[in-house]
Amino acid sequence: MKIISVVGARPNFMKIAPLLREFERYKEIESILVHTGQHYDKKMSDSFFNELQIKEPDINLNVGSSSHAIQTAQIMTKFAPVLVKEKPDYVIVVGDVNSTLACTITAKKLNISVVHIESGLRSFDRTMPEEINRIVTDSISDILFTTCDDGTNNLLKEGVDKKRIFMVGNSMIDTLAFELKRLTNTSAKNTQDYAVLTLHRPSNVDDKKSLHALLEIFNDISKKIDIKFPVHPRTLNQIKRFKLNKMISPNIELLPPLSYLNFLRLYKDARLVLTDSGGIQEETSYLNIPCITLRANTERPVTINEGTNILVGTSRTKILRSFNSIMKISSKTCKKIKYWDGQTSKRITKILLKSYKKR
Ligand code: UD1
């Protein structure tokens, strides 16, 4: 069984790492890793390969940054010859980034089976580039692995045949569970009180007024608790472009993008997290850390219903109200989410081997 797994952007690496490790246990699996190069900075990409002990990509398409249209087209142009040469049985894509969409379309046009991991998540907001990537990817994928029942139900509503959907849990939590164990053995707990902030979504950072308003709210929060803010390259570019550097309070510590382990070291002991990321809503839920999500919607409602997530959008009143209520309690209790147990990659591999035998 020959499999090409695709990674492109930072949130893909932790979703694929445990799967590659699992594949290595089977002699009958030939595993090839392709990196599209969507993220290319050392801090956004290379550090993850070292820390998560993922093998170096066998093939790097080196596409880099550009508009969505150009980036998607370049990935497709460069991925097609790889598929023609390698003739894999399956292409595995994860998540919802441009690399996910581009590689899915390319493989399907060559009649190669596509496996989508983290299928079925929907924000129902089609202004979000990731939502378009999710809908198109799911509509043409052959095997769809979901992280929770919401994902499965969304796919069923869209008419996907239930025989192709498998609820297997969250492979990103496999990585978190694995790395957390290594980390708690080696590093001490941070005892000071602080909040962690991440922000990179175009709707929050690409418009000067919105970014300015958010930074003012963070300044107010930082009067009550120190904030540590690892800054995504897109956000840093925008802060500089809009000349907003000077307004940021000294209580907000600006950090470079962190490696997986350094970020985990930082947020695992945080009093709370403020974020517009997708994956961090899940990771904080697993770790039982209160998470304020600075978005109008989320494709991960399970983190609200069963985890620690609070969806507040960008309203000043709502953000401050949630912040104040979190500061009054020690932590929000959350349930264990089904199959978020560190065993997802094992489940995925077994299903793939079985489906391959049936072909
Ligand atoms: C992408 C994903 C988003 C994910 C995020 C995580 C899409 C549509 N978006 O957004 O879902 O949450 O990754 O980080 O695929 N840049 C660098 N160095 C890099 C990468 C990017 O400086 O290694 C800068 C460039 O200025 C680039 C900008 O960041 O233009 C945006 O990068 P891009 O990959 O287009 O989207 P992200 O905002 O990172």
Side-chain angles (χ1 to χ4, degrees), residues 9-11 38-41 44 65 68 71 96-98 129-130 133 200-201 232-234 237:
R10 186 168 62 173
Q38 176 175 346
H39 283 174
Y40 45 88
D41 280 359
M44 297 294 283
S65 299
H68 283 245
Q71 191 175 58
D96 56 15
V97 302
N98 288 343
E130 292 83 356
N133 295 345
H200 73 282
R201 227 151 263 293
H232 185 287
R234 173 194 281 277
N237 289 344

Side-chain angles (χ1 to χ4, degrees), residues 57-337:
D58 299 292
I59 299 162
N60 195 322
L61 307 179
N62 288 314
V63 296
S65 299
S66 37
S67 70
H68 283 245
I70 295 174
Q71 191 175 58
T72 309
Q74 281 179 344
I75 297 169
M76 291 177 71
T77 311
K78 292 187 168 181
F79 191 46
V82 173
L83 294 177
V84 170
K85 176 164 176 266
E86 299 293 343
K87 298 186 181 50
D89 299 298
Y90 295 105
V91 166
I92 296 187
V93 294
V94 294
D96 56 15
V97 302
N98 288 343
S99 302
T100 313
L101 169 77
C103 292
T104 300
I105 297 177
T106 315
K108 285 312 299 170
K109 292 263 180 161
L110 291 167
N111 209 11
I112 296 168
S113 294
V114 171
V115 176
H116 184 207
I117 294 179
E118 199 190 85
S119 204
L121 297 183
R122 297 288 180 269
S123 64
F124 303 101
D125 172 4
R126 291 195 180 192
T127 63
M128 209 181 160
E130 292 83 356
E131 183 75 352
I132 306 301
N133 295 345
R134 292 180 201 118
I135 293 169
V136 178
T137 300
D138 286 341
S139 71
I140 55 177
S141 289
D142 299 273
I143 300 182
L144 300 98
F145 288 116
T146 61
T147 54
C148 56
D149 293 334
D150 301 323
T152 304
N153 292 336
N154 290 335
L155 293 173
L156 291 173
K157 275 187 215 144
E158 288 172 17
V160 177
D161 180 353
K162 70 169 187 264
K163 288 198 210 92
R164 296 198 279 123
I165 308 171
F166 301 89
M167 205 290 258
V168 287
N170 194 324
S171 71
M172 195 185 63
I173 300 296
D174 287 9
T175 294
L176 180 53
F178 181 79
E179 300 298 340
L180 192 66
K181 214 183 261 169
R182 285 208 299 164
L183 206 69
T184 32
N185 292 339
T186 55
S187 61
K189 196 171 155 56
N190 301 317
T191 46
Q192 356 130 234
D193 222 14
Y194 59 91
V196 170
L197 165 67
T198 82
L199 196 71
H200 73 282
R201 227 151 263 293
S203 56
N204 283 336
V205 305
D206 285 0
D207 171 65
K208 183 175 179 182
K209 242 173 101 185
S210 311
L211 183 56
H212 184 270
L214 279 170
L215 291 173
E216 274 188 331
I217 302 170
F218 303 144
N219 280 349
D220 284 350
I221 291 179
S222 78
K223 288 177 193 149
K224 296 197 180 152
I225 188 165
D226 285 343
I227 297 180
K228 307 211 184 255
F229 181 15
V231 192
H232 185 287
R234 173 194 281 277
T235 311
L236 189 65
N237 289 344
Q238 301 300 53
I239 289 175
K240 284 186 191 151
R241 185 159 79 96
F242 301 141
K243 302 195 171 48
L244 296 173
N245 323 41
K246 291 216 177 90
M247 68 166 288
I248 300 175
S249 153
N251 298 341
I252 301 179
E253 186 184 354
L254 302 187
L255 301 166
L258 299 178
S259 70
Y260 183 84
L261 286 179
N262 284 337
F263 185 57
L264 178 57
R265 235 175 239 128
L266 185 71
Y267 79 88
K268 79 177 173 50
D269 298 323
R271 179 76 180 269
L272 73 145
V273 171
L274 296 133
T275 191
D276 62 2
S277 148
I280 295 173
Q281 298 169 48
E282 298 180 339
E283 291 166 328
T284 47
S285 282
Y286 181 79
L287 293 174
N288 203 15
I289 298 165
C291 177
I292 296 181
T293 296
L294 308 160
R295 286 171 45 183
N297 48 56
T298 178
E299 62 289 336
R300 292 163 161 94
V302 71
T303 60
I304 301 176
N305 301 330
E306 298 182 33
T308 56
N309 193 15
I310 310 168
L311 191 68
V312 294
T314 50
S315 133
R316 180 183 173 82
T317 324
K318 283 193 186 159
I319 297 173
L320 293 178
R321 196 187 300 140
S322 301
F323 168 71
N324 288 326
S325 70
I326 288 171
M327 292 301 278
K328 281 187 207 133
I329 50 159
S330 54
S331 88
K332 194 181 159 192
T333 47
C334 66
K335 300 180 204 155
K336 279 233 169 315
I337 300 175

